[in-house]
Amino acid sequence: MHQKTLHEMLFALLLCLACLLPEVTMDQKTKEVYCRFNTTILLMGTNLNASSVFNVEWRTQLKGREKVSILTYSPGSNNIYINESYRKRVVFSHTSFSLTIHYVTLSDEGIYTLTIQLLNKQQQIDRTRVTVIIPILNVQITSETSAPHQGKNITLNCLGTAGNAMSYSWQKCNQPLPIGNRTILSKENASLTLINIQQSDIGTYRCVAQNALSSGHKDFILQLCAETGVSSWRSCGIYGYPGYLGYAIVLFYIFSLVKRTRKSSSKDQSDTIYENIALENTPTTSKRVPPVCIRHIKK
Ligand SMILES: *[C@@H]1O[C@H](CO)[C@@H](O)[C@H](O)[C@H]1NC(C)=O
Ligand SMILES: *[C@@H]1O[C@H](CO)[C@@H](O)[C@H](O)[C@H]1NC(C)=O
Ligand SMILES: *[C@@H]1O[C@H](CO)[C@@H](O)[C@H](O)[C@H]1NC(C)=O
Ligand SMILES: *[C@@H]1O[C@H](CO)[C@@H](O)[C@H](O)[C@H]1NC(C)=O
Ligand SMILES: *[C@@H]1O[C@H](CO)[C@@H](O)[C@H](O)[C@H]1NC(C)=O
Ligand SMILES: *[C@@H]1O[C@H](CO)[C@@H](O)[C@H](O)[C@H]1NC(C)=O
């Protein structure tokens, strides 16, 4: 009975000790840091008293590469080692152990680890994931047409230039684009296809491109090509301007004009024929001379 409680007490003591072991502190969350390309990044150190620290090491695991030691420092001996390939562009604080890296490039992306070994054999590990961001310069939308015919499909392709790690989203008339049967987004949202375009699809479509440090947008005004468009000879000649009614009116006008002219000319003709016969006595000339001219002569 006594022995059992002793065991339990020992077990509880072991658990408590486990809380103090370094493995527990290793489980800290990885911090996320976004850094603009070609700028300076500050990787935070610690607020531990340097006199309690035995050794400090900054390491990095660059994307898809081996772990690399950037620097090691022992406060006790004031010894510092900085990797040759970092020497020119890093600044290390001997008090807070922060690390400053200048002229950050895309190849600096990765996880940076600060390991602090204390004199009492504990250690503290801090991880920071560094993502390097190139700001978006501008956004473009390309499409085969800006005014498709009703019932056709249209695809708008969006492209943010210069930037990296971009994501795209779409709006219509400043509202999030309602995704329905006739609206299809590509896998990464970079292109938007509208199927079977209707009158209700007319409007301003906006592509928003953004990454962690910048964003940009471009508008596209969708119009419908008018049904009576003059884009092809067929629509122009048969369905197009001036249309069936227009042609009917024009034809009617021409017919009535011809009719009227004939009527008046036949009236004149009878007079002139008579005159002509009287004057020249040559029936052939009367046929050749237009009635209008003869009427003029008559005056
Ligand atoms: C990085 O910035 C420096 C000045 O801060 C500039 O001289 C250099 O051209 C830049 N490099 C790139 C690749 O943008
Ligand atoms: C660090 O610890 C030493 C001795 O333990 C003490 O004298 C010093 O004031 C401490 N420094 C800070 C900034 O707390
Ligand atoms: C120093 O950095 C280079 C390149 O970043 C790496 O290849 C090398 O292994 C590093 N040195 C140490 C001791 O980690
Ligand atoms: C529009 O896209 C749909 C679905 O992809 C397709 O079935 C249809 O034939 C297309 N219509 C035209 C006019 O291209
Ligand atoms: C989507 O299409 C299905 C079948 O094609 C139809 O039943 C449904 O009403 C459509 N929904 C919308 C919002 O157009
Ligand atoms: C694409 O857009 C939709 C809605 O506009 C959004 O829910 C989704 O997360 C986006 N996907 C990507 C990969 O950005």
Side-chain angles (χ1 to χ4, degrees):
M1 194 82 163
H2 257 276
Q3 223 175 10
K4 205 182 172 189
T5 44
L6 192 67
H7 274 137
E8 276 172 357
M9 277 173 69
L10 273 173
F11 188 62
L13 191 69
L14 278 172
L15 272 180
C16 267
L17 280 174
C19 296
L20 302 172
L21 289 175
E23 281 72 23
V24 177
T25 48
M26 276 174 73
D27 244 359
Q28 279 179 343
K29 264 191 193 163
T30 302
K31 278 176 277 180
E32 295 283 346
V33 170
Y34 296 94
C35 174
R36 225 168 247 259
F37 178 78
N38 201 23
T39 58
T40 295
I41 188 168
L42 170 68
L43 299 168
M44 297 303 286
T46 181
N47 50 15
L48 286 173
N49 189 331
S51 63
S52 63
V53 172
F54 170 66
N55 190 58
V56 175
E57 181 175 27
W58 270 107
R59 305 214 298 171
T60 179
Q61 171 120 49
L62 298 172
K63 266 191 176 169
R65 287 206 258 147
E66 298 274 289
K67 276 188 181 151
V68 164
S69 182
I70 298 173
L71 68 82
T72 55
Y73 172 63
S74 317
S77 61
N78 210 24
N79 267 345
I80 185 159
Y81 156 79
I82 303 184
N83 186 324
E84 182 64 44
S85 56
Y86 283 93
R87 207 161 283 172
K88 279 189 184 138
R89 59 187 192 107
V90 298
V91 176
F92 175 70
S93 161
H94 290 229
T95 49
S96 74
F97 312 141
S98 68
L99 184 71
T100 305
I101 307 173
H102 294 297
Y103 307 116
V104 169
T105 70
L106 290 176
S107 59
D108 289 321
E109 282 192 336
I111 293 177
Y112 289 75
T113 309
L114 169 63
T115 306
I116 298 171
Q117 237 126 34
L118 299 174
L119 288 169
N120 64 6
K121 309 277 188 202
Q122 288 180 28
Q123 68 178 2
Q124 179 183 313
I125 296 177
D126 290 301
R127 287 192 186 82
T128 308
R129 185 194 312 278
V130 171
T131 306
V132 179
I133 299 292
I134 300 172
I136 296 167
L137 205 60
N138 70 49
V139 183
Q140 295 166 354
I141 293 180
T142 54
S143 170
E144 279 178 10
T145 173
S146 64
H149 285 278
Q150 186 161 338
K152 289 283 190 332
N153 301 341
I154 188 172
T155 298
L156 311 181
N157 300 296
C158 185
L159 179 68
T161 57
N164 68 337
M166 284 181 282
S167 66
Y168 297 97
S169 60
W170 293 83
Q171 297 171 1
K172 184 188 174 190
C173 302
N174 295 321
Q175 299 292 316
L177 185 71
I179 300 298
N181 281 359
R182 298 189 296 102
T183 319
I184 296 172
L185 285 170
S186 67
K187 208 176 163 199
E188 295 294 324
N189 285 358
S191 67
L192 165 69
T193 301
L194 303 172
I195 307 286
N196 186 19
I197 291 174
Q198 300 301 318
Q199 203 79 22
S200 59
D201 295 324
I202 291 174
T204 303
Y205 291 79
R206 171 171 293 182
C207 170
V208 180
Q210 62 190 129
N211 60 23
L213 297 179
S214 67
S215 80
H217 64 81
K218 177 78 181 177
D219 286 347
F220 180 92
I221 298 168
L222 178 72
Q223 292 173 310
L224 270 190
C225 191
E227 277 301 283
T228 54
V230 288
S231 56
S232 71
W233 69 269
R234 198 166 155 267
S235 66
C236 188
I238 298 169
Y239 307 103
Y241 174 86
Y244 284 127
L245 191 65
Y247 281 116
I249 290 169
V250 167
L251 284 175
F252 178 77
Y253 184 74
I254 290 169
F255 268 118
S256 56
L257 196 74
V258 167
K259 225 172 158 186
R260 232 186 312 158
T261 322
R262 272 196 190 151
K263 241 188 211 165
S264 59
S265 63
S266 61
K267 213 168 69 190
D268 287 348
Q269 232 170 6
S270 56
D271 290 340
T272 50
I273 287 167
Y274 175 74
E275 266 186 63
N276 277 349
I277 293 164
L279 285 170
E280 297 169 32
N281 208 9
T282 43
T284 42
T285 345
S286 76
K287 264 181 202 164
R288 235 185 272 152
V289 178
V292 182
C293 298
I294 293 162
R295 193 170 54 186
H296 192 70
I297 291 162
K298 207 176 132 195
K299 269 181 190 172

